[in-house]
Amino acid sequence: MGRFDRHALIDGWDQQRLAEATVVVCGVGALGSQCAQALALAGVGRLVLCDPDDVSESNLSRAPLFRADDIGRPKAPTAARGLAALSPVTRVEARTAPLVSGVGLAELRDASLVVSCLDSLAARLQLAGRCQLAGAALLDGGTSAWGGEVRLYEPAGPCFGCGLTPRDRATQDDPWACADAVVPEAGASAPVSALIGSWLAVTAVRLLCGATTGPGVIRVDAAGGTATPVTVPRDPDCPLHSRIPADLVAPVPDTVLSTPADLTDHLAPEETVMTWAPLPGSPPTRESTRLADAPPRARLADLGVAPREILPVLRAGRPRGIRYLELAEADGKGTPR
C-alpha cells in the first residue's frame, strides 16, 4: 500500500488539501513536537516551526523528535531534521528567532492554520495578539499534570485574552522566549503531551480537510476520563481585538534582506516606519521602535524584523495617519538565504 492509502478510507479526509496546507507551529518542545510529528505524518505539505530555545535534558523524556546528542542544539532546526526523516513529503522550515522576529504577520495571515504550543502566558498572549492583527485562526494547546486544554480561536470570535483578567493580559509585554519569561515549574509527562498534542493535530487535520469545527475550549481530564467543552464569551474590552485593515496594506518588493534605507523609497517625508518590537543594540536604540533610529544599511533581519512582516508606517503632521508596508519573500520560501 502507498504512504497515505489508509487515509483514503477515512470519511472526510482530504489528502490533497493537507498537501497544499501550511501550518505554523509556535513552540516545538514536548507539546509542539508531538503535534508537529503527527501533522507531518498526516501529510501536511509545509510546516513552519518557530522556537528560540535550545534542547534541554528535560525535553528528552517528553519530546519524540530529540535525542541525547541534541542537548544544547536549537529546537526548531533539530525538530525539522527529525520531521524530514519521518515525512519526506513535508517541507519543514525552522525559525530560531523569537516570535515577533521569526514569523511575519503576512505569514500568519496566509497560513492555513497557526498552532500555539507555548508554555508561558506572555508567549500565548503575544501570539494571540499577532493572530488577531493578521486575521489568522489560532489553535492553542496547553498541558497540566493529568490533562490539558485545546482551544480554537477564530478572528471574529473570542480570543485567548478574552478569558483572562486585565492583570493577566498585561503580561503580553514580557519577553517571548520561554527562557526569559518567568515560568513556574509544573508537572509534565510524555503521555499527557502526546494526548494533547494528538488532540491538537486531530483538530488541525479536520480543519485543514474542510470539516466544520466550532471555536471554543475543550478541557481534557485524563485522570477522570473526561473531555468537557467550555464556552468563553468574546470580551468587547479585550485589547487584543485589533485588526490591520487590508486596504491600508501596501506590498513592497523589499524583504528582510533589505535595509531601512531601502524602505525610505516608499515613504513620504513626513512618514516613519515602525517595528513591532524594540530594536536590538545599546540604548537609546534598544528602546526605539523607529527604523529611522537603526543603522540605515543594516539588514532588516538583523534588526529583528520577521520574514514577510507587515510594518506600520506613521504619518506626522496633519492629518495624522497610519498605513502598512508588507515585505515580500526573500527567496520564495519566506526566509532569508
Side-chain angles (χ1 to χ4, degrees), residues 204-225:
V205 166
R206 285 180 52 78
L207 289 168
L208 297 173
C209 288
T212 301
T213 301
V217 177
I218 301 294
R219 187 165 295 155
V220 181
D221 177 5

Side-chain angles (χ1 to χ4, degrees), residues 25-318:
V25 180
C26 296
V28 285
L31 188 61
S33 291
Q34 296 281 2
C35 180
Q37 176 177 266
L39 292 175
L41 290 172
V44 170
R46 178 173 175 249
L47 291 174
V48 178
L49 310 181
C50 181
D51 197 313
D53 295 332
D54 296 332
V55 178
S56 67
E57 186 174 3
S58 68
N59 294 129
L60 302 183
S61 65
R62 295 171 291 120
L65 297 175
F66 303 140
R67 303 292 181 265
D69 291 345
D70 296 325
I71 294 175
R73 294 174 180 169
K75 286 181 179 178
T78 303
R81 286 192 294 272
L83 293 174
L86 284 174
S87 178
V89 302
T90 300
R91 180 159 60 96
V92 187
E93 299 174 23
R95 311 286 173 84
T96 57
L99 176 62
V100 174
S101 303
V103 184
L105 291 173
E107 283 194 296
L108 295 176
R109 178 199 64 203
D110 295 343
S112 309
L113 186 64
V114 180
V115 181
S116 169
C117 298
L118 303 167
D119 61 0
S120 80
L121 180 59
R124 281 192 170 95
L125 281 164
Q126 190 173 64
L127 180 57
R130 285 178 66 79
C131 284
Q132 285 288 316
L133 283 172
L138 174 64
L139 182 61
D140 177 90
T143 61
S144 58
W146 293 105
E149 291 186 349
V150 174
R151 315 172 186 95
L152 175 60
Y153 301 110
E154 296 179 345
C159 74
F160 180 78
C162 288
L164 302 177
T165 66
R167 180 178 180 180
D168 286 337
R169 291 173 189 154
T171 61
Q172 65 182 302
D173 296 327
D174 291 346
W176 179 79
C178 297
D180 296 330
V182 178
V183 182
E185 291 293 333
S189 67
V192 170
S193 296
L195 172 64
I196 303 302
S198 296
W199 203 305
L200 283 169
V202 168
T203 305
V205 166
R206 285 180 52 78
L207 289 168
L208 297 173
C209 288
T212 301
T213 301
V217 177
I218 301 294
R219 187 165 295 155
V220 181
D221 177 5
T226 61
T228 307
V230 178
T231 300
V232 177
R234 180 180 173 90
D235 182 354
D237 297 322
C238 179
L240 299 186
H241 295 168
S242 297
R243 183 77 51 81
I244 294 177
D247 60 341
L248 296 183
V249 179
V252 294
D254 304 283
T255 72
V256 288
L257 302 182
S258 302
T259 68
D262 296 328
L263 292 182
T264 59
D265 294 339
H266 313 293
L267 303 179
E270 67 275 11
E271 290 184 321
T272 301
V273 182
M274 310 297 290
T275 61
W276 294 104
L279 297 167
S282 303
T285 302
R286 193 168 56 205
E287 283 78 37
S288 176
T289 56
R290 289 166 28 101
L291 274 181
D293 294 332
R297 294 299 173 186
R299 295 196 323 171
L300 296 178
D302 296 331
L303 297 174
V305 176
R308 297 197 61 210
E309 186 60 284
I310 299 176
L311 295 170
V313 178
L314 301 184
R315 184 176 66 243
R318 294 186 180 277

